[in-house]
Amino acid sequence: MRPGVDDWAKGPLPGAARVGNLRFEAGGSLMAIFPLSWTEAAACRGREGALFFPPETGERKDDRLEREQSAKRICQACVVRSECLSCALERHESHGIW
């Protein structure tokens, strides 16, 4: 997870947005509150989080594979891996490494 990304993470329904622990419909009405305190213990927080996203510029295949393997090693040892996966499945997250 990158700082700032979770602040506006797309919710599970089209047009939904998340601000902190709150999820809003496109019209602005509150849909639900999700406790995301588990993210504080995520192994991907901090500078290692960059491994989970491609660079702004192009990336060679070998570099991508190496970056993804490093990210998978971080995930494998993470104490909140199951919470992260559940959250990603709920949000229908299309990008990431679990």
Side-chain angles (χ1 to χ4, degrees):
M1 292 185 200
R2 294 182 295 187
V5 171
D6 262 354
D7 295 341
W8 288 98
K10 191 168 171 71
L13 300 173
R18 188 181 310 243
V19 180
N21 290 342
L22 305 176
R23 191 175 74 203
F24 295 88
E25 290 184 30
S29 59
L30 180 63
M31 292 170 62
I33 297 176
F34 292 95
L36 295 177
S37 58
W38 59 266
T39 62
E40 296 296 322
C44 62
R45 290 187 64 89
R47 63 185 186 141
E48 289 83 10
L51 293 172
F52 292 81
F53 301 92
E56 301 270 335
T57 60
E59 175 177 44
R60 290 186 4 224
K61 181 179 179 181
D62 290 343
D63 293 337
R64 178 181 55 82
L65 293 174
E66 183 178 334
R67 178 182 53 77
E68 289 175 351
Q69 286 302 313
S70 295
K72 288 176 183 180
R73 282 192 294 275
I74 291 170
C75 266
Q76 190 66 35
C78 186
V79 297
V80 294
R81 184 175 180 205
S82 62
E83 291 91 336
C84 183
L85 176 58
S86 294
C87 185
L89 291 172
E90 177 187 330
R91 299 189 328 200
H92 303 283
E93 185 65 57
S94 58
H95 303 286
I97 296 171
W98 292 275

